[in-house]
Amino acid sequence: VQLQASGGGLVQAGDSLRLSCAASGRTFITYVMGWFRQAPGKEREYIASIGRVGGWSGGRANVTDSVKGRFTISRDNANNMAYLQMNSLKPEDTAVYYCAARAGGTLSASARGYQHWGQGTQVTVSS
């Protein structure tokens, strides 16, 4: 599967953005989808993941505590899309955001668990 992330930009603190991840191929529904971010000089950080269709992860989603209540992950299986809705953005949310696909059947917060990655989209939040 090939992934392409989009939707980033320059916003002010308190604004919202929705990131999109377009996936190619007919097997999108078999992948767990995840979002990660990486700020300059920092390691890649897990944000959220959402389960594949069916299986143990079906219908499940997870959001890391640091953004819980502000960020929401979703997917549109009919259109091979995954989304990250980001509300109440803060300057510390500034990073390059990546979408990723995992062939395993369970949700994962580890970047190593994802086999496919998009190119990243820059989100900059000014104070």
Side-chain angles (χ1 to χ4, degrees):
V1 63
Q2 293 183 324
L3 306 175
Q4 184 168 0
S6 62
L10 172 62
V11 297
Q12 293 185 333
D15 286 350
S16 298
L17 276 176
R18 187 177 79 158
L19 304 184
S20 299
C21 178
S24 64
R26 301 178 181 180
T27 59
F28 175 73
I29 61 172
T30 68
Y31 287 92
V32 170
M33 298 300 296
W35 285 95
F36 292 76
R37 68 185 180 187
Q38 188 164 18
K42 294 187 177 181
E43 293 186 354
R44 192 163 295 191
E45 176 189 14
Y46 167 77
I47 300 299
S49 57
I50 188 165
R52 52 181 277 182
V53 175
W56 187 90
S57 67
R60 295 175 184 264
N62 174 266
V63 179
T64 196
D65 286 345
S66 64
V67 302
K68 192 169 291 183
R70 298 191 297 124
F71 290 13
T72 304
I73 188 171
S74 63
R75 64 189 295 164
D76 177 354
N77 293 314
N79 292 297
N80 285 11
M81 298 291 294
Y83 301 100
L84 184 68
Q85 177 67 43
M86 306 186 296
N87 298 327
S88 302
L89 283 162
K90 303 176 181 180
E92 52 263 42
D93 295 319
T94 295
V96 177
Y97 284 70
Y98 298 90
C99 63
R102 165 176 164 79
T106 57
L107 303 182
S108 176
S110 172
R112 297 177 185 177
Y114 292 79
Q115 294 81 24
H116 306 280
W117 291 83
Q119 84 287 4
T121 184
Q122 175 71 47
V123 172
T124 303
V125 184
S126 63
S127 57

